[in-house]
Amino acid sequence: MARDDLVFIAGAGPVGLAAAVELTRRGVPVRIVDVGAGPTPVEQSRALGILPTTLRIFEASGLTQELLGAGTEITGAEIAIGGKPAFSLDLSKARTPYPFILSLPQGRTERAMIAWLKDRAIAVEWNVAVTGIADTRRPTVTLSSGEAVAARAVLGCDGSHSAVREELGVPWVGESYPGVFALADVTFSEPLDPHRAKISLGADNERSHALLPMSDRSARLIGFHDAPEKLVEAVEGIETVTWQSTFRVAFRRAERMSRGWVFLAGDAAHVHSPVGGRGMNLGIWDAATFAWLFSEGRETEYESQRLPVVKAVLDQTLEGTTTLGAPPAYASLALRYLMPAATRLRPVSRRIAERVLALDLPQPEWLAS
């Protein structure tokens, strides 16, 4: 049965689930489907870092406290260059109630939102694909079951191979990146500091990599290696590898983020490297912004609000990826000689912390009110 106020959400990853949570708490009825059989496996960390703005967004639903109780707070990082300690980053100087990166495997973040929705009688419909969208002004979504669903709006959160984006005929713009990333979830034979990340910047022909703790015995490794085995070999003390993968990245965005009353969010609208941990967070900010605008009757502002932020994040992550993967000579010199002194200056260290935590990006308008 058609609902004049229904928002249909395609994709039940973190972005689609966040959209469902934010719309529901604002009193908007939703229906959410996903082509997959269920949420991300709990043993795969995938999108790991939750940033302060995301935690502020989830305060209103009550999810923030649950996530904080389940995750690990990364309050800083130790930086080495060519295997030698260079300087430290302290995130506690950032002006936010949450001056840290919350480390929590994606599957656990998804399950927290799924449980929140279930408590409100909203269930994800798994193994359901979007096969067509008719009339973007008054959208009707055709599902793989043969059902046709009329909705007030459609939000495509269905990943980089988005069926919703394909239906809209919206092209990608951007570029591919020549490097290969490897990642591995590992456990250690000895305890590590769960609150400090470790970043090793390569010198000469060495490869850069980062260690992001998930607990005092487990961590995510990610680096510029063409095989996870080489990444694991670069780090001492690893006892077991619980999951590993390699992937290539691109820096691309949808040419548009809406057409009529069909909208795109998350990887359906933009993809980039994992450097900086922006990916899942940027998508959740898309979803929350859409939910707020829709509840205010201002959904036509969505594209104009989100595209500048998306472009800024793509520029930042491309710059960061290039600096870490193939640093120019001046960048290596600055990291080696200028950063140690700069990080000892409080205003500079605060600015660096806020950049790392993405607080230099425009913050959601409703959070300031």
Side-chain angles (χ1 to χ4, degrees):
M1 185 175 180
R3 289 284 302 267
D4 289 340
D5 54 352
L6 176 74
V7 174
F8 182 93
I9 302 169
V15 177
L17 291 168
V21 167
E22 287 295 292
L23 286 162
T24 298
R25 76 169 182 85
R26 294 177 183 277
V28 178
V30 302
R31 185 168 175 184
I32 179 169
V33 307
D34 194 281
V35 69
T40 299
V42 291
E43 69 274 10
Q44 298 178 11
S45 63
R46 294 191 181 269
L48 181 66
I50 302 176
L51 295 174
T53 300
T54 302
L55 293 171
R56 289 197 63 205
I57 286 169
F58 283 147
E59 285 177 341
S61 64
L63 279 166
T64 294
Q65 287 305 312
E66 183 175 352
L67 298 176
L68 288 172
T72 299
E73 298 177 10
I74 299 177
T75 58
E78 306 301 328
I79 316 297
I81 300 176
K84 297 179 180 179
F87 59 93
S88 298
L89 292 179
D90 181 5
L91 302 181
S92 68
K93 304 295 191 301
R95 292 165 291 187
T96 171
Y98 310 107
F100 50 80
I101 298 170
L102 185 68
S103 174
L104 185 65
Q106 178 178 325
R108 297 180 68 183
T109 302
E110 291 176 1
R111 282 166 176 78
M113 289 189 276
I114 289 170
W116 189 97
L117 291 167
K118 184 179 179 181
D119 287 344
R120 290 151 183 83
I122 298 166
V124 177
E125 299 173 48
W126 301 106
N127 297 305
V128 177
V130 171
T131 59
I133 299 176
D135 190 357
T136 58
R137 286 289 171 181
R138 297 180 61 85
T140 297
V141 183
T142 304
L143 305 179
S144 53
S145 61
E147 182 184 2
V149 182
R152 177 70 175 83
V154 175
L155 184 63
C157 308
D158 48 343
S160 59
H161 300 291
S162 169
V164 174
R165 191 185 66 247
E166 295 265 337
E167 282 295 312
L168 293 182
V170 174
W172 281 122
V173 294
E175 59 187 297
S176 59
Y177 188 80
V180 177
F181 280 91
L183 58 84
D185 292 347
V186 300
T187 58
F188 286 86
S189 56
E190 299 291 335
L192 66 152
D193 186 343
H195 306 298
R196 306 293 292 181
K198 294 182 179 180
I199 300 172
S200 177
L201 304 178
D204 300 322
N205 294 321
E206 295 178 6
R207 303 276 185 162
S208 298
H209 66 265
L211 181 156
L212 304 174
M214 293 187 284
S215 71
D216 62 356
R217 291 275 185 166
S218 63
R220 144 80 68 80
L221 299 178
I222 185 165
F224 293 88
H225 294 262
D226 54 13
E229 294 79 9
K230 295 180 181 178
L231 174 62
V232 171
E233 289 171 2
V235 179
E236 296 181 353
I238 292 175
E239 187 172 66
T240 57
V241 177
T242 58
W243 179 65
Q244 61 185 28
S245 182
T246 57
F247 59 96
R248 294 186 178 274
V249 297
F251 294 84
R252 294 195 173 99
R253 62 173 178 84
E255 192 173 64
R256 302 189 57 177
M257 291 182 69
S258 66
R259 181 163 286 163
W261 263 250
V262 182
F263 304 84
L264 300 173
D267 286 356
H270 42 75
V271 293
H272 51 80
S273 90
V275 171
R278 301 290 192 262
M280 177 183 71
N281 291 277
L282 182 61
I284 289 174
W285 305 341
D286 292 341
T289 301
F290 171 81
W292 170 63
L293 290 172
F294 185 87
S295 68
E296 296 285 318
R298 296 167 53 190
E299 58 266 35
T300 55
E301 299 176 29
Y302 175 73
E303 182 174 274
S304 64
Q305 288 208 17
R306 295 311 299 162
L307 266 182
V309 181
V310 169
K311 291 176 181 177
V313 169
L314 262 64
D315 288 344
Q316 286 182 2
T317 53
L318 178 57
E319 178 185 1
T321 303
T322 300
T323 298
L324 295 176
Y330 71 85
S332 296
L333 291 172
L335 288 169
R336 191 182 296 272
Y337 299 109
L338 297 181
M339 284 295 287
T343 52
R344 289 193 287 270
L345 301 173
R346 185 177 179 84
V348 176
S349 64
R350 184 177 67 193
R351 185 172 180 179
I352 293 171
E354 292 178 354
R355 176 71 179 263
V356 170
L357 295 174
L359 295 170
D360 59 331
L361 295 170
Q363 298 298 292
E365 183 179 331
W366 73 93
L367 290 181
S369 60

